Structure formats: C-alpha cells, structure tokens
Amino acid sequence: MALTLSVLPGAYWEEGAKWIFLLPYAFVTTLLTAAAGSNPRLLSVRPLAISISLVLLLWSISTDLATPGTFTPIEERAAGFSGNANYTALVATILCAAALDYERRRSLLIDLTFIALSLAIVLISLSRSGLLVFGALLTAYIVVRVRQRPLSPSELRSGLISIA
C-alpha cells in the first residue's frame, strides 16, 4: 500500500522533499518481503536483517521525536523513515512478527529483544491502532509458546509476579 501511495506525484512533491524518503523505504520493504518469502539463504539471515531494520527504524523515529519534522512532514507525531506514524507501527509489528521464534529453537531473550525494540517504536509513534495490533501479536505469541510446552506452577507464578 505504501509503495503504491508513494509513487503518486502528489504524495511527496507537493509537500516537500521529506516524502521522498517514503518511496525507497516502501520499495525496499516490499522487495525484501517478496524475495525473502521462500529463499532459504535469505531466511537464514532474517533475524539479523530484521534487527538492523528495527534499530534503524528506532533511530529514525527517535530522531524525529527529538527534532520534529526531520523525516515526517506531520510534526505532531514522530514516524521516522516511514513518513506516517501508523505505517511505522505496522512495519515494526510486522518485522517483530517475522523475527519471533514460535518453535522455541532459540533463547527467549532474543525474542524479548525484538519485542522491546518493536514496542519502543510503537509507543514513540503514538499509534493507537499500532498498539492494538502489537497487543494482538504479543497475545498470539504467548499463546503459541505456552501451548507448545505448558508452564509449570513455579514458572507461571514467577511470570505473573513479573507482569504484576
């Protein structure tokens, strides 16, 4: 959707050069998503690529928060490279969903890092819809992980204490 919208001439030329960032960002996002779907070599470097993407997105949105209007024409809400706060939150959530390990093949700490980076981006963007989508992702992730191996009473107790 962002790729289609960013190609329209009125989408960025009439409002200044800041919208030009949206075109390469959306193009690269679309191209990488299409290419990485079934390629085993690309799938092997997916966590690294996603972590770099999330860090860059967090940097751009933090820069936009500190200096409003750096990347986003709308100065009330930071959006970073994406150009739109809701799209930023959606991209961060999609990247997080692609990076998470649903089959418990790696450490939970890595997944928590992806979740923390994505949550920071969603919170900085002030996107209510992004927060709802991120909450749905987090709920689905927790349900899938717990269904694979039910928690023992001590794990459940320590998890509830941590949440509280």
Side-chain angles (χ1 to χ4, degrees), residues 15-141:
E15 297 185 18
K18 293 175 187 171
W19 278 102
I20 294 174
F21 283 112
L22 183 58
L23 179 61
Y25 185 79
F27 180 73
V28 167
T29 304
T30 306
L31 183 65
L32 288 177
T33 303
S38 61
N39 189 325
R41 289 182 187 162
L42 290 176
L43 288 174
S44 66
V45 296
R46 183 175 60 185
L48 177 63
I50 289 174
S51 61
I52 290 170
S53 298
L54 283 174
V55 168
L56 286 174
L57 188 57
L58 183 61
W59 171 80
S60 71
I61 198 169
S62 299
T63 302
D64 226 8
L65 183 65
T67 318
T70 304
F71 297 109
T72 312
I74 302 167
E75 296 184 5
E76 290 83 28
R77 291 170 64 191
F81 292 133
S82 310
N84 181 301
N86 292 328
Y87 184 66
T88 299
L90 180 64
V91 167
T93 304
I94 289 172
L95 286 172
C96 182
L100 294 177
D101 176 28
Y102 300 94
E103 298 173 0
R104 294 181 178 240
R105 289 177 286 175
R106 65 172 183 237
S107 170
L108 180 63
L109 187 60
I110 295 171
D111 285 350
L112 292 177
T113 304
F114 284 121
I115 290 169
L117 281 172
S118 301
L119 181 61
I121 293 168
V122 170
L123 291 177
I124 291 172
S125 72
L126 298 175
S127 173
R128 295 179 302 261
S129 62
L131 195 57
L132 289 173
V133 171
F134 186 80
L137 166 69
L138 199 56
T139 302
Y141 175 73

